[in-house]
Amino acid sequence: MKRGKFIVFEGIDGSGKTTHAALLKKRLEEMGERVFMTAEPSEGEAGKLLRRCLKREIELSEEAIAGLFMTDRLDHIKNPTDGILSHLEKGETVLCDRYYFSSFAYNGSYAPLDWVKAINALPRALLRPDLTLFMDIPPESFLSRIEKRSEKERYEKLEVLKRVRENYFAAFEAFPDEKVTVIDNTAPLDLAAENVYLAVKPLFEAR
Ligand code: TMP
């Protein structure tokens, strides 16, 4: 059995990752591929804890949050019942909404970036994506979704998203051996979806 392909979607908040992952799943299934969709934070126990941190129900240090994302990732990769590797070994294509580049871009803003990179050497040694698709939008376009918030909150959110987007590009440069394709997601939906498909197509032709 040939191992499946591991494809990751990355992007700032509101960049359309989830929509495009679903469209790609449909297209690959029409080609006869078996596809498993997943996301980080995962549905596992560490992932549940992270969702509570993100909702500010519990308070952890930025370092602990970065460590928890890494722990969740290790479990997401290796979990014997539903881990990514178990799906890849069954020959399924795995589409994952966020992976370690999210840690570099987001957690690297709050905890020391070198440290975030160092702890993510563990999951990186276990499983690298066959392709990372970065769904690119200008951070300003996210603001239309949060119209109800105050000017101050909108400004702060914009500054965070600008920094996260810059961090993504810095991380892509810092890891030149990673296969990354940037998709302009300001393009109409059909065109962006076609560009996603064209980027992943060679992975399936090589089989
Ligand atoms: P999402 O539902 O848009 O994917 O949101 C998940 C949030 O978690 C998003 O704000 C980014 C954040 N995150 C990190 O900070 N580090 C990580 O490693 C991952 C996977 C997500």
Side-chain angles (χ1 to χ4, degrees), residues 21-66:
L23 290 173
L24 181 63
K25 178 175 191 283
K26 192 163 168 273
R27 187 133 183 202
L28 292 175
E29 283 172 346
E30 283 165 6
M31 286 164 52
E33 297 293 328
R34 284 171 298 130
V35 182
F36 176 72
M37 275 245 276
T38 188
E40 292 190 0
S42 78
E43 297 295 323
E45 294 305 318
K48 285 182 198 156
L49 207 54
L50 279 165
R51 282 176 211 286
R52 294 187 61 203
C53 287
L54 291 172
K55 283 193 257 168
R56 304 214 171 268
E57 286 173 12
I58 48 175
E59 190 93 13
L60 292 180
S61 71
E62 293 299 341
E63 285 76 5
I65 291 174

Side-chain angles (χ1 to χ4, degrees), residues 7-12 14-17 19-21 23-24 131-138 141 165 168-169 172 179-202:
I7 300 167
V8 171
F9 283 82
E10 291 283 0
I12 64 169
S15 58
K17 299 175 277 98
T19 306
H20 279 286
L23 290 173
L24 181 63
L131 182 66
T132 297
L133 294 159
F134 180 74
M135 306 307 295
D136 197 20
I137 58 159
S141 60
R165 183 172 176 275
Y168 266 118
F169 283 102
F172 298 149
K179 292 194 187 70
V180 179
T181 301
V182 177
I183 304 286
D184 173 9
N185 206 18
T186 58
L189 185 70
D190 288 3
L191 182 59
E194 185 64 16
N195 287 337
V196 167
Y197 173 68
L198 291 176
V200 304
K201 203 170 152 225

Side-chain angles (χ1 to χ4, degrees), residues 3 13 25 41 46 70 75 84 87 113 156 183:
R3 187 161 132 163
D13 302 20
K25 178 175 191 283
M70 183 276 290
D75 184 51
I84 298 172
H87 287 278
L113 177 59
E156 282 168 2
I183 304 286

Side-chain angles (χ1 to χ4, degrees), residues 13 17 40-41 54 69 73 97-99 102-103 106-107:
D13 302 20
K17 299 175 277 98
E40 292 190 0
L54 291 172
F69 271 113
R73 189 158 296 131
D97 190 334
R98 299 194 182 281
Y99 197 54
S102 283
S103 282
Y106 285 82
N107 309 112

Side-chain angles (χ1 to χ4, degrees), residues 36-38 42-44 75-88 90 92 94:
F36 176 72
M37 275 245 276
T38 188
S42 78
E43 297 295 323
D75 184 51
H76 194 202
I77 297 169
K78 298 258 325 187
N79 192 288
T81 50
D82 210 19
I84 298 172
L85 284 176
S86 73
H87 287 278
L88 294 175
K90 282 187 266 177
E92 295 170 23
V94 175

Side-chain angles (χ1 to χ4, degrees), residues 12-14 98 106 110 139-140 142-146 149-165:
I12 64 169
D13 302 20
R98 299 194 182 281
Y106 285 82
Y110 304 103
E140 289 77 5
F142 179 73
L143 287 190
S144 56
R145 294 211 191 170
I146 53 168
R149 306 227 195 129
S150 71
E151 265 312 302
K152 183 169 172 283
E153 272 183 313
R154 284 163 59 86
Y155 175 78
E156 282 168 2
K157 183 73 187 174
L158 180 61
E159 291 307 298
V160 169
L161 292 181
K162 279 183 181 167
R163 195 168 66 217
V164 168
R165 183 172 176 275

